Amino acid sequence: MRRWAAVGLVGLSACAPEGASSQGQDISDLYRVFVYVAIGVGAIVYGLILWSAIRYRRRSDALPKQTRANVPLEIVYTALPILIVLGLFVLTFRVERDVDRVASEPALVVNVSGFQWGWRFEYPESGISVVSTPSEYPTLVVPAGETVRINLSSNDVIHSFYVPDFLFKRDTVPGQPNRFDLLIPEPGRFRGACAEFCGVDHGEMNFWVDALPATEFDAWIEERAGAS
Amino acid sequence: MDRGTGGRVVSVTLERPPPTPPPLRARSGGILEWITTTDHKKIGLLYIGTTFLFFLAGGLMALLMRIELAEPGLQVLTKNAYNQLFTIHGTTMVFLFIAPMGLGLANYFVPLQIGAPDMAFPRLNALSYWLFLAGGATILLSFFASGGASAAGWTAYYPLSGPQGSPGPGVDLWIMGVLLASASSVMTAVNLMVTAFLLRAPGMTMWRLPLFVWNMIITSLMILVSFPPITAGLSLLFIDRHLGGHFFDPASGGSVVLYQHLFWWFGHPEVYIMILPFFGIVTDIIPVFSRKPVFGYLGFVFASLAIAGLSMSVWAHHMFTTGAVLNPFFSMMSFLIAVPTGIKFFNWIGTMWGGQIRFDTPMLWCLGFMLNFLLGGITGVMVASPPIDFAVHDTYFVVAHFHYVLAGGSLFGIFAGLYYWFPKMTGFRLSERTGKAVFVLVFVGFNLSFFGMHLLGLRGMQRRIADYPADVGWTWLNQIATLGTVIMGIGVVLFAWNVLEAFRGRRPAGDDPWEGYTLEWSTTSPPPEHNFTWLPPIRSERPLFDWRQRDKDMGAEEVRK
Ligand SMILES: [Cu+2]
Ligand SMILES: [Cu+2]
């Protein structure tokens, strides 16, 4: 049974995406640490529950020893979890600081706004604007290997910019602009969606993120900026 | 032993009770009797029956949603219908089933467990129930309003729940229903606290209270602190919708995030309001079936108090992705709340350790409760870490997490309590065999339903979508989940049969079928009006155990002679 619990949790860790952005990689690493701690704690506690359930099932009518408390033991099982969560908190604190850090000079700024029910990606430096159409999900094109600032906003209801492969989402909150930095080391195409329920077509608010090599990205900017 | 409590003198005889106490049958209930009753047991039964019906309604909604999700594409529901269903499913389970079921069981058993004849304010108690019923009816009948029920989610985030986002009357009815239900909860909380503080039988000191009673006191405390903010929040929402207010409207200087603060300031304590009663029930049951006292009584009470305190300072962990609360304080507090919760696991393990455990149905449900809730607790520590929450928030990982807590935990605790106390409430015995089958079906069905959802969330399936693409690899996990829900549904139907069969079979349960420890087992099943004709002396938290031991010791002496 212990093994079953461990297999389940290893399964959980295996199913977490690697993290296609550098922030996502940090989160993925943190997640793995949590899963390993969970396997350890889970194995002990599941083991104790099942062991006592099996070992101490009723075999006779004799009255067992009426133990009421064991103060040293109680101190141990209070103090140990405190130490464990403090350790997890320190790791969390470090990763959160890195994930939330924004560069002073990002290579590219994109203003992302969510609306019912689609996305608008605006590139203020080049005047490019990409919007959802009824037939097609929009694509957010960014350069790979460079820091991209995403500014989030919404004018109707709350949405959430979510890319599963980046292990990251951040809400677009009316009246409260949000921002975060994204660095995608390798080129690739990633599926995105709206994560905050926003009405009837919430499930249709999908988009794509294309991380292109620098030269291709420059070519894309030129082509799109020329077209508009 | 005669002792005054607060000017009230109650005499307790040390003599053995008469072999069969004269049955003080309550006037048999015509419908008028049930409508006008102020008897805590009748009100308790009304609560338990009503909340169970609401559970069936909420479960049916879940089943419909799961059937829709079994395949990509829309087969049986429209998107709008799906959105109404998950909104009312969540609202029903939280406001109309789990929390009030805890209050209903408390209504019946807190007075009995402390040796009191009734609740402190019987009429207020009746008012609580009828307000609750009115609230529940308002919420469920809102499906028939024009435009249907609220489709803004059980959290009703502004602006989606605002005048532009949801123009129809669904959200208004939802607000009214929730306000009625919360007013009812506040009244019951006051009533329970006063009852537990002032109506204890002589000898029933605070440190001899059954742990269910302790946890209900602490639950009541949390209700008193957490329901006013949601009452305020929903009232402000109503003003914004209809009276031209702009509390949450950013265009006029309001704050969207303020609504979330008000909601979760209630919403997180509510999580513990929905679990502490069942921690209490499980902690009453495990010692009885292990034939041991509870391990670490004081630690358990202080852990409950710590949970209540911490639960007031973690609300913003539901809002990490808003970017408005990146302050690590909320993460730290959320991690810490795992410590008192962990203590409870060691209380339960320590109680079973070295015992003689009998696995009758109530104990089986307790075992299921521990196994499920542990996973919910572990994933709870994960989502308390903001970076991990950035990944899994609003995905099926979180859906899995809170169903492991509320269905795997609270629902299993409810079943434990119902199987444990059914003989006391009705005087009849449930079939153990059917009960065990119900347990297996619900346990297997539950885990099939929800374990895979962790993986769905990690693979990026977001919550609250009626449809999903066929090419993302989510289909097989969804099919397993739907299968699990169907199995759970069969289990619940079998449970209904289990209960009906017990009423038809009329197997007498006797006063004390489980060799219980607490005072409710010292009276008849069901108890007479005003509960007791006799009380054993109360010298520990297990008065009935002490009494039986006294009998056995005297018996042993006689044998020696
Ligand atoms: Cu959305
Ligand atoms: Cu919470």
Side-chain angles (χ1 to χ4, degrees):
Chain A
M1 208 65 197
R2 262 183 227 195
R3 189 179 297 160
W4 173 84
V7 166
L9 288 162
V10 170
L12 274 185
S13 75
C15 289
E18 283 292 329
S21 63
S22 73
Q23 292 82 358
Q25 282 160 6
D26 291 346
I27 295 175
S28 185
D29 293 343
L30 180 69
Y31 176 81
R32 265 164 238 279
V33 174
F34 270 68
V35 170
Y36 296 142
V37 174
I39 291 173
V41 172
I44 292 169
V45 183
Y46 274 116
L48 286 171
I49 293 173
L50 292 169
W51 165 260
S52 41
I54 293 163
R55 167 67 184 77
Y56 299 111
R57 68 187 185 280
R58 190 161 300 186
R59 293 156 192 228
S60 76
D61 272 340
L63 191 65
K65 192 159 167 261
Q66 302 290 299
T67 320
R68 289 177 166 273
N70 182 332
V71 176
L73 185 63
E74 289 176 65
I75 291 172
V76 168
Y77 69 59
T78 310
L80 267 183
I82 292 180
L83 292 178
I84 294 174
V85 296
L86 283 178
L88 292 176
F89 176 72
V90 170
L91 295 176
T92 289
F93 185 77
R94 287 208 196 135
V95 173
E96 186 176 3
R97 198 186 47 198
D98 291 346
V99 170
D100 288 338
R101 183 178 291 137
V102 282
S104 51
E105 300 257 310
L108 173 74
V109 176
V110 187
N111 296 330
V112 172
S113 55
F115 57 88
Q116 286 175 317
W117 288 273
W119 298 93
R120 181 177 291 109
F121 305 129
E122 283 170 333
Y123 297 71
E125 287 132 17
S126 46
I128 297 172
S129 170
V130 181
V131 191
S132 297
T133 67
S135 59
E136 222 182 327
Y137 297 137
T139 302
L140 171 65
V141 181
V142 294
E146 297 198 68
T147 302
V148 181
R149 165 75 40 79
I150 306 285
N151 292 320
L152 295 168
S153 64
S154 162
N155 283 323
D156 46 33
V157 303
I158 307 171
H159 308 272
S160 190
F161 179 92
Y162 172 39
V163 182
D165 282 326
F166 301 163
L167 293 144
F168 189 79
K169 67 180 63 69
R170 183 62 50 91
D171 298 353
T172 68
V173 184
Q176 185 211 292
N178 273 329
R179 59 180 192 173
F180 66 92
D181 275 4
L182 188 59
L183 193 153
I184 307 167
E186 300 297 327
R189 185 170 168 84
F190 311 100
R191 199 180 56 81
C194 174
E196 179 62 55
F197 178 63
C198 57
V200 177
D201 279 320
H202 163 60
E204 299 295 308
M205 268 183 73
N206 299 335
F207 58 91
W208 293 99
V209 178
D210 269 0
L212 301 179
T215 49
E216 280 178 46
F217 178 75
D218 292 342
W220 180 83
I221 287 278
E222 235 158 79
E223 180 200 329
R224 288 301 294 257
S228 63
Chain B
M1 181 172 69
D2 276 313
R3 222 162 85 183
T5 39
R8 211 165 47 91
V9 178
V10 180
S11 70
V12 175
T13 27
L14 275 172
E15 305 308 311
R16 262 191 85 65
T20 41
L24 299 176
R25 280 266 164 259
R27 283 161 297 160
S28 67
I31 186 124
L32 199 66
E33 169 66 24
W34 286 93
I35 290 175
T36 56
T37 186
T38 57
D39 174 21
H40 75 101
K41 296 185 293 296
K42 285 216 168 75
I43 294 174
L45 289 175
L46 284 172
Y47 260 108
I48 293 165
T50 313
T51 52
F52 197 80
L53 290 180
F54 289 153
F55 166 66
L56 294 181
L60 202 64
M61 295 178 216
L63 195 59
L64 280 171
M65 289 190 285
R66 279 316 321 170
I67 289 171
E68 177 54 61
L69 288 170
E71 294 283 334
L74 290 171
Q75 290 85 28
V76 288
L77 297 171
T78 62
K79 283 179 207 163
N80 187 275
Y82 184 90
N83 296 347
Q84 292 178 33
L85 283 176
F86 74 67
T87 299
I88 305 299
H89 164 76
T91 306
T92 303
M93 292 309 195
V94 168
F95 289 103
L96 307 182
F97 171 52
I98 298 177
M101 177 63 97
L103 295 176
L105 288 167
N107 233 301
Y108 202 110
F109 287 103
V110 164
L112 278 168
Q113 287 197 324
I114 62 174
D118 203 318
M119 295 275 274
F121 307 116
R123 281 183 218 165
L124 184 71
N125 201 18
L127 179 61
S128 292
Y129 170 75
W130 294 104
L131 283 180
F132 163 72
L133 183 65
T138 309
I139 291 168
L140 287 179
L141 294 177
S142 72
F143 276 113
F144 302 108
S146 77
S150 168
W154 84 276
T155 49
Y157 276 6
Y158 194 91
L160 188 62
S161 60
Q164 279 90 41
S166 306
V171 172
D172 299 314
L173 291 169
W174 180 87
I175 292 173
M176 292 306 154
V178 173
L179 287 180
L180 285 168
S182 43
S184 143
S185 299
V186 170
M187 290 176 193
T188 303
V190 171
N191 215 338
L192 283 172
M193 281 178 93
V194 175
T195 305
F197 285 143
L198 297 184
L199 297 190
R200 281 170 287 127
M204 180 61 84
T205 62
M206 290 305 275
W207 294 124
R208 291 174 188 166
L209 282 179
L211 288 166
F212 176 61
V213 177
W214 256 116
N215 270 16
M216 285 317 304
I217 293 174
I218 295 167
T219 302
S220 303
L221 208 82
M222 284 195 288
I223 289 177
L224 292 186
V225 180
S226 67
F227 275 73
I230 194 178
T231 305
L234 296 187
S235 305
L236 298 183
L237 178 60
F238 189 82
I239 292 171
D240 272 14
R241 284 173 62 82
H242 291 293
L243 305 173
H246 299 282
F247 294 105
F248 308 127
D249 176 11
S252 311
S255 163
V256 166
V257 178
L258 172 64
Y259 175 85
Q260 297 188 20
H261 280 296
L262 287 170
F263 185 88
W264 289 114
W265 169 254
F266 148 81
H268 194 87
E270 172 74 356
V271 173
Y272 290 94
I273 291 167
M274 287 189 282
I275 195 75
L276 278 192
F278 311 108
F279 279 174
I281 290 176
V282 165
T283 316
D284 274 0
I285 295 176
I286 292 176
V288 168
F289 288 84
S290 306
R291 301 196 73 191
K292 283 182 61 194
V294 67
F295 180 81
Y297 179 102
L298 278 178
F300 184 92
V301 174
F302 283 112
S304 289
L305 285 166
I307 285 176
L310 286 167
S311 78
M312 305 293 167
S313 44
V314 300
W315 75 92
H317 66 203
H318 299 267
M319 301 160 56
F320 289 146
T321 62
T322 61
V325 286
L326 294 174
N327 180 338
F329 168 80
F330 293 105
S331 172
M332 183 71 234
M333 291 294 127
S334 309
F335 280 135
L336 279 180
I337 212 163
V339 175
T341 313
I343 289 176
K344 291 177 186 280
F345 271 96
F346 294 112
N347 292 138
W348 299 324
I349 294 166
T351 305
M352 297 198 300
W353 196 268
Q356 291 276 358
I357 308 168
R358 202 173 65 206
F359 283 100
D360 293 322
T361 39
M363 185 63 193
L364 269 185
W365 288 101
C366 291
L367 185 66
F369 171 95
M370 286 186 272
L371 296 177
N372 294 333
F373 185 81
L374 179 58
L375 186 53
I378 287 175
T379 51
V381 175
M382 293 183 174
V383 293
S385 170
I388 296 175
D389 189 64
F390 294 159
V392 297
H393 181 73
D394 271 332
T395 71
Y396 267 85
F397 189 91
V398 169
V399 176
H401 155 68
F402 67 72
H403 280 93
Y404 265 86
V405 173
L406 293 180
S410 304
L411 177 64
F412 276 64
I414 287 169
F415 274 122
L418 291 178
Y419 274 92
Y420 182 55
W421 280 323
F422 183 88
K424 179 52 62 184
M425 294 187 285
T426 63
F428 302 131
R429 225 152 24 84
L430 287 163
S431 151
E432 274 290 308
R433 265 180 64 196
T434 316
K436 281 176 178 156
V438 173
F439 171 77
V440 170
L441 285 168
V442 175
F443 185 78
V444 171
F446 166 79
N447 279 289
L448 282 179
S449 292
F450 295 104
F451 189 82
M453 287 187 189
H454 294 105
L455 308 184
L456 276 174
L458 291 170
R459 291 174 173 205
M461 182 167 174
Q462 72 270 41
R463 289 170 77 175
R464 299 175 165 176
I465 52 173
D467 185 14
Y468 53 91
D471 58 358
V472 282
W474 299 342
T475 312
W476 65 277
L477 285 164
N478 274 301
Q479 282 167 340
I480 292 176
T482 302
L483 174 71
T485 309
V486 171
I487 295 175
M488 247 181 123
I490 296 172
V492 172
V493 171
L494 189 62
F495 173 72
W497 165 250
N498 202 353
V499 170
L500 290 179
E501 191 274 333
F503 280 114
R504 275 191 11 185
R506 305 182 75 81
R507 293 174 296 274
D511 295 350
D512 184 12
W514 311 118
E515 300 206 324
Y517 292 165
T518 38
L519 292 180
E520 74 268 33
W521 304 109
S522 70
T523 184
T524 53
S525 304
E529 229 171 329
H530 304 304
N531 298 343
F532 297 99
T533 50
W534 169 84
L535 277 178
I538 303 161
R539 302 244 173 74
S540 76
E541 85 282 9
R542 298 190 295 166
L544 235 65
F545 175 87
D546 299 342
W547 183 258
R548 273 196 304 271
Q549 282 312 110
R550 169 185 175 277
D551 273 10
K552 282 188 188 142
D553 294 349
M554 286 184 5
E557 264 164 44
E558 269 160 35
V559 170
R560 248 175 266 135
K561 276 178 206 161

